[in-house]
Amino acid sequence: MPDKDQMTSHLDNAMYGPPKLHPDEQRTYLGTFRERVDLLMSIQQLQHAEYQTEFQTELKAHPDYQVIFNGHTGMEALKPYIQIAGQLQRAFTIVQDDFYGGKPTDSGLVVISKTAINQYPIKVEDRADKQPAQAQSPAKEQPTFWTKMKHHLGL
């Protein structure tokens, strides 16, 4: 009986490929795991140019990271991002299996590391919302003792 189970398993692997570890996670992150993802953009977000600077900033900050594009997005939307990756000489892959989906809410691109980095947050909209708030409210420097003295003495 074990021979039959082993034979069935072998035939299934030959016909369908080896079983995937955490297939839902790999579907979401275009074939990789969440722990390796640095930046995530949906297909809908790729259609608009507002997140290109965040993408470029992330690639400049991490020269060893790679990019995986969802081929279901369409070349018109991917073209500016592919150009940015090419200009910065970053490795990229375009995956187009039906496994990854093509709905607007599905992943359009991921910036990944070769090892686990556990970056939070990874969604581009969460990062973009954080940056303008930091830029608008810079920390005010407290005047030093000498600055107060110069001001008091009229210097």
Side-chain angles (χ1 to χ4, degrees):
M1 200 68 150
D3 291 331
K4 185 176 181 181
D5 290 335
Q6 191 175 22
M7 181 58 87
T8 304
S9 175
H10 181 72
L11 288 174
D12 286 345
N13 285 346
M15 290 183 349
Y16 307 114
K20 290 187 180 273
L21 183 65
H22 305 290
D24 291 336
E25 183 177 355
Q26 288 191 27
R27 182 178 299 115
T28 302
Y29 301 115
L30 301 177
T32 192
F33 298 105
R34 163 64 182 88
E35 63 195 18
R36 296 179 181 178
V37 176
D38 181 59
L39 183 69
L40 172 70
M41 294 176 66
S42 70
I43 291 175
Q44 185 176 19
Q45 291 167 335
L46 288 174
Q47 306 291 330
H48 308 289
E50 62 192 67
Y51 296 118
Q52 288 179 11
T53 55
E54 179 67 28
F55 174 71
Q56 186 171 12
T57 302
E58 207 56 42
L59 288 183
K60 283 182 179 179
H62 306 285
D64 57 330
Y65 286 5
Q66 300 174 357
V67 184
I68 301 175
F69 295 104
N70 186 341
H72 297 289
T73 303
M75 286 310 291
E76 285 299 317
L78 289 180
K79 187 176 180 179
Y81 296 94
I82 291 173
Q83 286 178 340
I84 292 170
Q87 288 171 351
L88 297 174
Q89 298 178 350
R90 299 300 183 268
F92 66 87
T93 305
I94 300 175
V95 294
Q96 199 165 358
D97 297 343
D98 292 334
F99 179 72
Y100 300 117
K103 295 184 290 189
T105 56
D106 289 335
S107 297
L109 74 77
V110 290
V111 177
I112 62 165
S113 172
K114 292 179 183 178
T115 60
I117 55 172
N118 292 317
Q119 174 71 33
Y120 291 98
I122 61 168
K123 292 183 178 180
V124 71
E125 68 269 12
D126 295 341
R127 289 188 179 185
D129 290 343
K130 268 179 38 177
Q131 286 182 351
Q134 291 173 352
Q136 290 174 356
S137 60
K140 261 191 168 179
E141 289 186 36
Q142 294 293 328
T144 63
F145 172 76
W146 296 112
T147 308
K148 289 180 183 177
M149 287 300 293
K150 286 181 183 178
H151 181 69
H152 181 67
L153 294 173
L155 297 174

